């Protein structure tokens, strides 16, 4: 991933975590000046214990282990639970909390009003979106909200959407934070999503990312009495005080 030095300064913690997935190249005035690289963990010796114990997060649980896409599809068919499949791992989606749902509802109303009469359609989870890093690397996610502008031309015979949303929204919880800020940000950026809204009920902020050429082209964080603004849809905005009214 390539980012400029200003983006790194503004979001250092996020990119520090992203180094676990790939190297981060930093540029200044268009010139590469540095690289962030993760230090590989040493393997544990026999009978040794890891330094840290990580609790399973109840709201966005890791289902168990790496799985093939076929294994994921089998689980999805046989279970009433909701799952996502990201880079070969299965994640169980549990019921969200009240602030999470209020933020989604408020944004969906704003989006529905804005896009009424246009070719773009706001959709809400649960709704499977298939994203491919490569023809073999298939991912299935359920964004909280997505704006789809090519719905009719990308519906298959079974009435499933097979395109890429123009805009995606994820509302953070304490247990989904790492997935939404790292794994899903990288997935959306790499697979053709144009804009990504990260909604944080804890600090009542919305960060909007603009993606171009598989990189972060621009980003802005909105809070307090501001209104979150879209980069790609002129006039689309959402008042922070309305999104976080509890």
């Amino acid at each position: 991933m390539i980012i400029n030095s200003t983006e790194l300064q503004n979001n250092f913690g996020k990119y520090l975590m992203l180094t676990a997935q790939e190297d981060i190249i930093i540029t200044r005035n268009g010139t590469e000046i540095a690289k962030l690289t993760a230090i590989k963990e040493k393997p544990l010796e026999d009978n040794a214990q890891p330094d840290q114990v990580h609790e399973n997060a109840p709201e966005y649980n890791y289902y168990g282990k790496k799985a093939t896409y076929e294994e994921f599809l089998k689980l999805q068919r046989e279970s009433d639970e909701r799952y996502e499949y990201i880079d070969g791992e299965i994640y169980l989606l549990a019921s969200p909390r009240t602030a999470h749902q209020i933020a989604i509802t408020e944004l969906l109303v704003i989006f529905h009003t804005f896009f009424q009469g246009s070719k773009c359609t706001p959709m809400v989870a649960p709704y499977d979106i298939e994203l491919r890093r490569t023809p073999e690397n298939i991912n299935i996610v359920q964004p909280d909200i997505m704006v789809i502008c090519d719905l009719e031309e990308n519906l298959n015979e079974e009435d499933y959407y097979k395109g890429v949303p123009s805009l995606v929204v994820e509302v953070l919880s304490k247990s989904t934070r790492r997935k939404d800020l790292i794994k899903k940000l990288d997935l959306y950026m790499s697979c053709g999503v144009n804009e990504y809204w990260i909604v944080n009920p804890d600090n009542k902020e919305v960060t909007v990312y603009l993606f171009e050429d598989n990189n972060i082209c621009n980003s802005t964080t909105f809070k307090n009495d501001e209104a979150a603004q879209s980069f790609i849809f002129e006039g689309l905005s959402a008042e922070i005080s309305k999104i976080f009214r509890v």
Side-chain angles (χ1 to χ4, degrees), residues 129-154:
I129 295 296
E130 178 184 298
L131 299 175
R132 296 176 179 247
R133 294 186 186 272
T134 67
E136 298 78 24
N137 188 339
I138 305 173
N139 301 268
I140 302 294
V141 291
Q142 293 191 2
D144 288 318
I145 301 175
M146 62 229 83
V147 176
I148 297 172
C149 298
D150 57 354
L151 186 62
E152 291 185 4
E153 52 265 50
N154 283 293

Side-chain angles (χ1 to χ4, degrees), residues 127 130 151-163:
Y127 189 69
E130 178 184 298
L151 186 62
E152 291 185 4
E153 52 265 50
N154 283 293
L155 286 178
N156 66 12
E157 295 178 356
E158 297 177 336
D159 198 36
Y160 289 111
Y161 175 68
K162 294 298 181 181

Side-chain angles (χ1 to χ4, degrees), residues 4-219:
N4 61 47
S5 57
T6 301
E7 171 67 18
L8 177 68
Q9 290 172 354
N10 292 337
N11 299 281
F12 182 74
K14 180 188 73 177
Y15 290 109
L16 197 60
M17 291 189 292
L18 269 174
T19 57
Q21 307 295 323
E22 61 178 305
D23 291 345
I24 309 294
I25 307 297
I26 300 98
T27 65
R28 179 179 294 157
N29 298 324
T31 303
E32 296 182 1
I33 59 171
K35 179 170 72 172
L36 285 177
T37 303
I39 298 176
K40 304 300 182 183
E41 295 182 1
K42 295 181 180 179
L44 292 174
E45 298 178 357
D46 292 344
N47 300 322
Q49 298 296 321
D51 293 332
Q52 296 180 333
V53 175
H54 300 279
E55 294 183 0
N56 288 330
E59 294 172 286
Y60 193 42
N61 294 327
Y62 175 61
Y63 183 68
K65 62 179 182 179
K66 291 275 188 178
T68 66
Y69 181 60
E70 289 70 25
E71 289 171 332
F72 165 74
L73 292 179
K74 183 175 184 293
L75 173 66
Q76 197 177 46
R77 287 193 301 267
E78 296 175 352
S79 174
D80 293 329
E81 302 287 354
R82 293 172 53 211
Y83 299 97
E84 291 184 314
Y85 183 68
I86 304 174
D87 294 330
E89 295 183 5
I90 297 174
Y91 297 91
L92 169 65
L93 299 176
S95 177
R97 298 191 180 188
T98 301
H100 183 283
Q101 290 302 89
I102 288 176
I104 291 173
T105 302
E106 294 294 335
L107 281 170
L108 183 61
V109 170
I110 292 168
F111 283 17
H112 175 76
T113 301
F114 179 84
F115 289 108
Q116 204 162 25
S118 75
K119 67 174 184 178
C120 299
T121 304
M123 307 282 277
V124 67
Y127 189 69
D128 283 346
I129 295 296
E130 178 184 298
L131 299 175
R132 296 176 179 247
R133 294 186 186 272
T134 67
E136 298 78 24
N137 188 339
I138 305 173
N139 301 268
I140 302 294
V141 291
Q142 293 191 2
D144 288 318
I145 301 175
M146 62 229 83
V147 176
I148 297 172
C149 298
D150 57 354
L151 186 62
E152 291 185 4
E153 52 265 50
N154 283 293
L155 286 178
N156 66 12
E157 295 178 356
E158 297 177 336
D159 198 36
Y160 289 111
Y161 175 68
K162 294 298 181 181
V164 178
S166 297
L167 185 155
V168 167
V169 178
E170 297 285 5
V171 181
L172 301 182
S173 66
K174 291 178 181 178
S175 57
T176 67
R177 183 184 304 273
R178 180 175 177 83
K179 299 295 182 297
D180 292 339
L181 289 175
I182 300 177
K183 272 190 171 291
K184 294 181 101 172
L185 184 148
D186 182 66
L187 179 68
Y188 295 146
M189 179 175 62
S190 302
C191 294
V193 173
N194 301 124
E195 186 167 294
Y196 181 30
W197 290 36
I198 296 180
V199 179
N200 190 336
D202 287 340
N203 58 17
K204 294 181 169 53
E205 293 181 352
V206 176
T207 300
V208 180
Y209 289 92
L210 174 65
F211 299 143
E212 288 184 5
D213 299 324
N214 298 330
N215 276 299
I216 296 172
C217 176
N218 204 345
S219 68

